[in-house]
Amino acid sequence: MQVPQDGEDVAAQPWYHGPLSRQKAEALLQQDGDFLVRASGSRGGHPVISCRWRGSVLHFEVLRVALRPRPGRPTALFQLEDERFPSLPALIHSYVTGQRPLSQLTGAVASRLVTRQGPIRRSFSEDTLPDSPARTELLRARKWSDSQPAAVFYVYLSHLLLYDPSGASTVPASALPRTGSDPVLLKTPVSMGSIPDSLRASDGQLHAKGPTKPPRTPSLMLPDASGRPPTYCELVPRVPKVQGTAPGHSCPEPEVPWWEAEEDEEEEENGCFARPQAEVSLSPLDKPSCLLGPQNRPLEPEVLRTLRGLFLEHHSESTALHLLLVDCQATGLLGVTRAQRRAMGVASGLELLTLPHGHRLRLELLERHEALMLAGALAVLGCAGPLEERAAALKGLVELALALRPGAAGDLPGLAAVMGALLLPQVSRLERTWRQLRRSHTEAALAFEQELKPLLRALDEGAGPCDPGEVTLPHVAPAVRVLEGEELPGPLDESCERLLRTLHGARQMAQDAPRFRETAARRLRGFRPNPELREALTTSFLRRLLWGSRGAEAPRATRLEKFQRVLSVLSQRLEPDH
């Protein structure tokens, strides 16, 4: 295949089909190895490589990294995973002639181009590709596990989690079925069918108009279920049809984001304390869900597959910003309405949680921390495939923690929840998995041991970083636990000093609330979240996902005890005690 000279229009290439829907592209790809390049209508004309592989059509978005203009070098680089190329034709030439997989996850190889018939409807030039500031950084090869425990195993777990006021178990422990290689997992004998099925996402057609900003990460794109196994990893995740979402209903995304309009809409306060009217909930549980139906069971496999697609679609920095946005709202740092401020008597949740009438907010923050921690542990313990997949899941969580640390996103509650997941006994006991992490992902293992664990220890002891310049959202969990009457761990002589540090930190945190708010608004300026991923990180969604619509209403202690049992079952199943 001839490589065009630098600056040649992509539209002149025979493999480029211009604006083409994924349905038409799939109809053109008949044999394994067939490929074409098209402009994605749902993402503003971004180039997408469509390739048939093992009976399924996969779609891979090509990223463009803009460079500062300098003589003798290209104005942009193009990449699929790690390697970058000076032009889109050069990228295609390298992957086709070298028979290189388009992604390590799928192993798909593009070997035979499907030639365009006739002129394209609209020209597409490399020079007109939209820029994205988030793409200027080298993408980390993040591979969350695509394996799923057998569907019957999740039926067992869902029965275990269902809330029964009488305390009677609906399924005996002896009913644990086969897992891992259970043939129920796959409808076809090829392994490729399970990979896209676990990365289910959407084609962006749920929205009235395409997003105006380019995506921040490369996207594997998997389709809807139209009579065959879902294999299309699209750019915006889809709401599962089986969940009963109303036709035409989608997760709305505001035209003017509230996290940017907050500063403009903020009224000047008179500095006087207003007596609180009632306790305010910043994480209501009755919010409508785009990912779950009105009634759902715990750990529904279809929803879990959708979530894997969501997290695979976003690299750790993007996921960290989504988590920061949701944490800021749940903590009351951003998004507090005028009516809520009047009811609270203060302007920020960081102030409210230190006051007596902040009891409800403190319980919500504890609930959120525990739900995020359990969901993170499930991401590792739910990997029923090879050992490398579990190690890759650990690596993904470590990278997310690094993206949340001070100086990066600065979301310390999110960092504490992710680290809590990694330090749970059910996860930390997986010796073979951690050994594989050290062997295959040494950098992540070192960062976890040498940077993240000491950082979390310092934060829990009230001695970690808390400056609003490098921290966007402070670590509130120690103060919340103390104010809710929980005892501090450790020796008595050390706990007194730690208690004083914690209370002093809470007081300073409340005083610095306006500075934290400014830092959060600045860090989130220009950020456009994925609506489904944003919902997937909310407390209400996590509660219903983990315990079901019935179990979410159970007492907190009962829910935690049941899910700890679930995690213990999963952990023993992966690495049984000898």
Side-chain angles (χ1 to χ4, degrees), residues 258-259 262 265-266 269 280 282 328-350 352 361 517:
W258 49 261
W259 57 92
E262 178 81 11
E265 295 176 358
E266 190 79 21
E269 301 290 344
V280 176
L282 299 178
C328 284
Q329 190 172 19
T331 313
L333 186 65
L334 294 176
V336 181
T337 65
R338 196 177 311 160
Q340 288 174 325
R341 287 197 299 271
R342 285 198 298 265
M344 294 189 307
V346 290
S348 169
L350 294 181
L352 176 63
L361 174 61
R517 187 187 306 119

Side-chain angles (χ1 to χ4, degrees), residues 363-382:
L363 292 183
E364 289 178 351
L365 293 178
L366 287 176
E367 178 84 44
R368 174 164 181 77
H369 174 81
E370 292 161 351
L372 282 170
M373 182 174 61
L374 295 177
L378 183 65
V380 177
L381 299 175

